[in-house]
Amino acid sequence: MKPEDKIMTETKGSGSTNLSRRSLLKAGLAGSGAALATGALPAAARAEGDPLITEIQDWNRYLGEGVQARPYGTPSQFESHVVRRDVEWLTASTESSVNFTPLHELDGIITPNGLCFERHHGGIAEINPADHRLMINGLVDRQMVFTMEDLMRFPRENRVYFLECAANSGMEWRGAQLNGCQYTHGMIHCVVYTGVPLKLILEEAGLKTNAKWLMPEGADASAMTRSVPMEKALDDCLVAFKMNGEALRPEQGYPLRLVVPGWEGNMWVKWLRRIEVGDEPWHHREETSKYTDLLETGKARRFTWVMDPKSVITSPSPQAPVRHGKGPMVISGVAWSGNGRITRVDVSIDGGRNWQTARIDGPSLPKAMHRFYLDIDWDGSDLLLQSRAMDENGYFQPTKNELRAARGENSIYHNNSIQTWYVQADGTVENVEVG
Amino acid sequence: MSKLVKSILISSALLSGAGFGATLVSADDSGKFGLGREATPAEVAAWDIDIRPDGQGLPVGSGNVLDGEELYTNACAVCHGDFGEGVGRWPVLAGGHDTLTHERPEKTIGSYWPYLSTVYDYVRRAMPYGDARSLSDDDVYAITAYLLYLNDIVLDEDFVLSNENFLEIRLPNERNFTPDDRDQEPFYAAKTEPCMTDCKDGPVQITMRARILDVTPGTVDDDAAAGVGGVD
C-alpha cells in the first residue's frame, strides 16, 4: 500500500481541491457505481431516467407547512438518528452520568445546542432565572449577591471554546473498546459563549491582596465545586448565560455557567450560584477522589487542568462507514488544544507509517475546535486512518503507547492519544489499536 | 484598566456633551459598575458550607462511630453496602489498601483520598444521593467517624469525631499526590518535529479490535463491561 497512490490532492498550505483530470475521470466512473448502491434505481427505470426527476414529487406540487408551524425549529425528520447517546454500563445512575455528542454526523466547528454532550452529577437542575442568584464571598472587600438581571448589565464578550470532559476517551486507556467516535471522543462540544468576564464580577466585589484561589459552586443537587487559581480566573474565564446565541440549555447550566477555556470540563461549573475567594485550594471531592490521574507508580497527579492537543477523524469512522465505493473520499475530522490554536493536523492512511498534512478549514481560534480535511482517491484497499494534531505550544498529539509508557493504564482522565480507524474493503470501519 | 476607564470616560463626556440622556457605562476608578448588592451574613452562612483541609469552614459539632453506623445503615448502605463495599456499580467507600499500583486499583476514602475534610464536605453538600443537605452537622460528623472506622483508620467503636480533633486525623494516601508535570513527559518535552515518512519498519499490525470486546451500546455485555473503566 503506497499512500502516494491514494492521495488525490496535495493539501498542504492550500485551500484548493484541484482534482487531476485522470482522477476526475476515475471519480466519475466510481460515482455512477455508487449511485446504484445508494439510489437503488432499477434497471428499467434507469433507461427512462430517475423517477425522482422524471415524475413530479409531492413536495413539488402541494403546499408545505406555514411559517408558524415550527415556532422553534428542529432538524429534519430524516436526521432523527443524529442524537446524543449514552453507554448504560458506564455509570450507576443516569443522573450522575454522561452522554455523547454525535461527532460522526457533524461538520464545521460549532456544536448545535441540542447535541452538546451532557455530564451531570445530580441531574439537570431546573431553575427559573428570576430565582437564580450568584454570590461572591470570602476574601473580597464586599460579599455580594447578583441577580441574573444584574449580570446582564455588565459588559459582555463572545468567545468560541471547546469544552471537553476530562474523561473523554477514558474508556480507551486499556485498548480499543467502543465502536464509534461518538463514544470514544464525544464528550466534547464547541459553541460560542456570551458572558461577562469573571474578572469584572470579581472586581465589583474587590479582591483582597491574599486572594489566590476561587471556588465556583453549582446550585444543583451535587453542589459541584472546584478550585481555580486566580491567574486563570483573571485571564480568560467567563460567566456565561448564552450559547450559540440563545440562553444556555438547562442541561448546560441554565441560567448561568462558568467558562474555563482550554481546561477540563468538570471545572466549567453549571448552574453557577457562588464563587468563594480564598488563599488556598479546597481539595474537594472533584479534585481529589475524581479528576486526579493515577500513575503506574501509585502516585497521582492533581490539578491536571489543561486539555492537551487532540484530534479524531469523524468520517470515515465506525458509525460513518464508507458506502460510496472507490474513488474520491473526504476524510474529515476535528482537532483542538487547551494550549491555544491548532497549527497543523497530519493524517495517515497506513497506521502511522506515512503522514500527509491535512487542510484546516474554517476559523482557527484558540482553545476552540478546528475542522480538518484530507481528500483522497480510495482504491478500495484496507486503510488504517490516524490523525495527529499539533498546537501553537509546539505539542504534538502522542500515541497511546507513548501515553501508557509515561502514565500506565489507570489514569482514567486526559487520554489525548492518536485514534486508529480500520477501514476495510467493504467500507466498514472499526476502532483498533496498532503495533 | 485605568487606560480603558479613561477612554470610556472621555467618550462618555463627549456623549453627555451632545445632550443625550445616557452616557457610556463605565467602571468607576476602583473598577466597579455599581451592580449587585451586599450579601447579608445569613445569606453567606446559608450557602458557605465548604470545608478545607486546614479545617476552615468546619462547623462546631461532633458525632461518634456508633451513631454514624446507625445513620449510615439507614441512609447510605442501600447504595454503598453495609461495610462501604459498594452495591452494584455504586462507589466503594472502604478497603482497597495498597492497591494503587495494581492492575485494577480500588480507590476508596481509605486507600486514595488525601484529606478527611473532603469526606465531611462532600457528604454534607451532596449526600445522600437524591436527598442532599438533609443531614445535620452532627450527623455528618458521626457518618464521617463511621467511614473512618470502616476504613480501619480509627479502631475504637467509641471514637468521637468533632471540630476539636478533626485535624488530628490524617488519611494514609495524603502524600501521594503530585503536581501536574505532564510537560516533562518525553513526547511533550521534546517539542521536535514528528516523523512524516517511513516511520515504522514494514506494514503496521493491528493489535486490538473493539469488535472483539463488543460493549458498544446495542451490544452491551455486562460481564465484559465490568472489566473496563467507568467515568464517574
Side-chain angles (χ1 to χ4, degrees):
Chain A
M1 185 162 64
K2 285 186 293 177
E4 57 272 25
D5 289 342
K6 298 214 180 61
I7 305 300
M8 192 165 62
T9 312
E10 182 53 71
T11 52
K12 192 173 185 176
S14 143
S16 82
T17 50
N18 294 322
L19 308 183
S20 74
R21 196 180 155 76
R22 197 174 64 93
S23 62
L24 264 181
L25 220 61
K26 276 173 65 183
L29 290 172
S32 62
L36 263 182
T38 54
L41 205 58
R46 209 182 336 155
E48 300 296 320
D50 185 348
L52 286 168
I53 298 169
T54 58
E55 293 171 15
I56 294 167
Q57 302 298 309
D58 286 355
W59 56 86
N60 188 212
R61 170 165 300 173
Y62 306 115
L63 298 177
E65 288 184 326
V67 290
Q68 267 302 97
R70 307 170 192 199
Y72 193 107
T74 53
S76 158
Q77 58 177 304
F78 306 109
E79 295 296 318
S80 60
H81 56 290
V82 185
V83 289
R84 298 183 282 222
R85 292 186 175 85
D86 70 348
V87 177
E88 221 175 290
W89 52 258
L90 274 180
T91 52
S93 81
T94 58
E95 296 85 4
S96 180
S97 194
V98 65
N99 64 11
F100 302 88
T101 303
L103 288 180
H104 60 293
E105 292 282 356
L106 304 180
D107 219 308
I109 69 164
I110 297 293
T111 315
N113 286 340
L115 296 176
C116 289
F117 86 98
E118 302 165 75
R119 173 62 167 125
H120 319 306
H121 294 75
I124 302 169
E126 297 280 357
I127 304 174
N128 180 340
D131 296 339
H132 193 68
R133 302 287 182 271
L134 176 66
M135 179 184 290
I136 312 288
N137 73 306
L139 298 179
V140 288
D141 296 334
R142 190 169 169 238
Q143 317 210 79
M144 297 195 73
V145 172
F146 299 95
T147 61
M148 286 304 296
E149 207 171 39
D150 295 330
L151 295 171
M152 307 292 263
R153 295 169 67 193
F154 281 95
R156 296 172 200 177
E157 287 182 356
N158 294 285
R159 296 286 185 275
V160 178
Y161 295 121
F162 75 82
L163 185 172
E164 185 184 16
C165 177
N168 199 20
S169 315
M171 297 83 75
E172 301 287 311
W173 270 103
R174 290 175 193 280
Q177 178 164 280
L178 290 164
N179 244 333
C181 69
Q182 179 168 21
Y183 303 109
T184 58
H185 291 76
M187 292 188 215
I188 187 168
H189 47 71
C190 183
V191 304
V192 50
Y193 291 98
T194 305
V196 179
L198 178 54
K199 184 176 194 274
L200 295 186
I201 297 170
L202 293 173
E203 282 171 354
E204 198 67 18
L207 293 171
K208 296 210 185 279
T209 51
N210 56 342
K212 295 282 193 292
W213 291 82
L214 297 185
M215 190 208 70
E217 179 181 74
D220 63 313
S222 76
M224 176 67 60
T225 47
R226 286 295 300 259
S227 301
V228 181
M230 187 60 76
E231 306 81 66
K232 181 66 174 174
L234 299 181
D235 177 19
D236 57 2
C237 289
L238 296 176
V239 173
F241 38 80
K242 298 209 166 166
M243 58 193 291
N244 290 335
E246 64 178 359
L248 297 173
R249 293 293 171 90
E251 63 270 32
Q252 304 299 342
Y254 179 81
L256 197 64
R257 91 171 306 166
L258 190 64
V259 169
V260 192
W263 288 20
E264 60 188 13
N266 181 258
M267 307 178 79
W268 299 49
V269 172
K270 297 188 285 192
W271 310 290
L272 179 70
R273 76 160 185 197
R274 187 168 73 96
I275 296 172
E276 184 167 334
V277 181
D279 57 350
E280 297 282 342
W282 279 260
H283 296 284
H284 276 181
R285 190 249 193 183
E286 306 295 327
E287 52 202 15
T288 55
S289 170
K290 307 297 174 184
Y291 305 98
T292 51
D293 309 355
L294 183 59
L295 303 173
E296 209 160 25
T297 56
K299 300 229 177 234
R301 288 188 179 126
R302 67 175 150 213
F303 299 150
T304 46
W305 296 311
V306 174
M307 301 307 290
D308 279 324
K310 188 167 174 178
S311 67
V312 67
I313 291 169
T314 53
S315 178
S317 63
Q319 297 158 288
V322 186
R323 295 200 175 92
H324 56 55
K326 298 175 189 179
M329 177 197 286
V330 175
I331 296 175
S332 174
V334 279
W336 60 92
S337 173
N339 296 310
R341 283 184 176 78
I342 292 292
T343 50
R344 197 170 113 195
V345 182
D346 300 327
V347 169
S348 172
I349 61 173
D350 61 2
R353 265 194 94 193
N354 296 283
W355 297 85
Q356 297 276 326
T357 297
R359 169 171 60 93
I360 291 174
D361 189 82
S364 172
L365 300 167
K367 303 169 189 177
M369 268 195 192
H370 292 60
R371 174 62 57 174
F372 67 86
Y373 299 104
L374 189 74
D375 303 292
I376 69 164
D377 184 0
W378 186 39
D379 66 2
S381 59
D382 290 0
L383 307 175
L384 288 169
L385 294 180
Q386 296 186 338
S387 61
R388 179 176 67 192
M390 178 194 185
D391 68 27
E392 63 182 332
N393 189 36
Y395 284 179
F396 273 99
Q397 190 183 353
T399 65
K400 206 189 283 185
N401 285 334
E402 285 174 325
L403 270 193
R404 286 191 288 232
R407 304 179 192 174
E409 295 187 343
N410 286 315
S411 276
I412 300 178
Y413 308 105
H414 295 285
N415 175 7
N416 64 322
S417 61
I418 290 171
Q419 172 68 46
T420 308
W421 302 130
Y422 175 33
V423 182
Q424 292 157 74
D426 64 359
T428 59
V429 184
E430 190 183 334
N431 177 9
V432 297
E433 282 198 21
V434 292
Chain B
M1 189 73 197
S2 67
K3 201 173 169 187
L4 172 72
V5 170
K6 206 169 158 186
S7 74
I8 291 173
L9 288 177
I10 290 167
S11 35
S12 311
L14 284 173
L15 269 183
S16 48
F20 289 103
T23 59
L24 289 183
V25 71
S26 64
D28 65 15
D29 287 346
S30 58
K32 296 190 198 317
F33 292 90
L35 294 167
R37 65 166 173 85
E38 190 141 358
T40 72
E43 288 171 337
V44 174
W47 277 5
D48 184 1
I49 59 163
D50 49 89
I51 318 292
R52 283 195 331 200
D54 61 4
Q56 179 182 293
L58 273 177
V60 173
S62 65
N64 65 38
V65 170
L66 285 174
D67 289 344
E69 180 181 21
E70 194 181 333
L71 286 160
Y72 177 94
T73 303
N74 293 333
C76 318
V78 62
C79 293
H80 296 292
D82 286 340
F83 306 100
E85 75 278 16
V87 174
R89 291 181 190 282
W90 295 102
V92 178
L93 302 180
H97 296 281
D98 299 322
T99 65
L100 296 183
T101 56
H102 293 191
E103 197 187 336
R104 306 282 172 178
E106 192 158 74
K107 298 191 286 183
T108 71
I109 292 166
S111 72
Y112 191 65
W113 291 35
Y115 303 113
L116 188 63
S117 57
T118 314
V119 180
Y120 192 101
D121 175 86
Y122 184 67
V123 170
R124 181 159 75 154
R125 77 173 49 248
M127 289 291 129
Y129 190 63
D131 192 19
R133 305 297 306 273
S134 60
L135 298 166
S136 73
D137 292 346
D138 285 345
D139 289 348
V140 180
Y141 276 112
I143 287 172
T144 306
Y146 185 60
L147 290 170
L148 288 170
Y149 182 78
L150 285 180
N151 276 289
D152 300 323
I153 292 164
V154 301
L155 304 172
D156 180 3
E157 281 189 359
D158 297 320
F159 173 76
V160 180
L161 183 68
S162 73
N163 57 303
E164 303 279 327
N165 67 357
F166 197 93
L167 295 184
E168 292 164 21
I169 308 286
R170 305 300 277 265
L171 299 187
N173 201 45
E174 178 179 337
R175 296 188 172 280
N176 281 323
F177 288 84
T178 62
D180 182 1
D181 57 353
R182 283 176 291 170
D183 59 354
Q184 302 302 309
E185 291 177 331
F187 38 88
Y188 291 140
K191 288 198 178 182
T192 49
E193 269 295 300
C195 176
M196 293 296 285
T197 321
D198 294 328
C199 305
K200 294 175 182 175
D201 303 328
V204 173
Q205 300 299 315
I206 292 174
T207 55
M208 196 174 298
R209 304 178 62 166
R211 241 167 61 186
I212 310 296
L213 192 56
D214 206 19
V215 291
T216 308
T219 59
V220 171
D221 175 341
D222 259 340
D223 290 337
V228 301
V231 297
D232 65 345

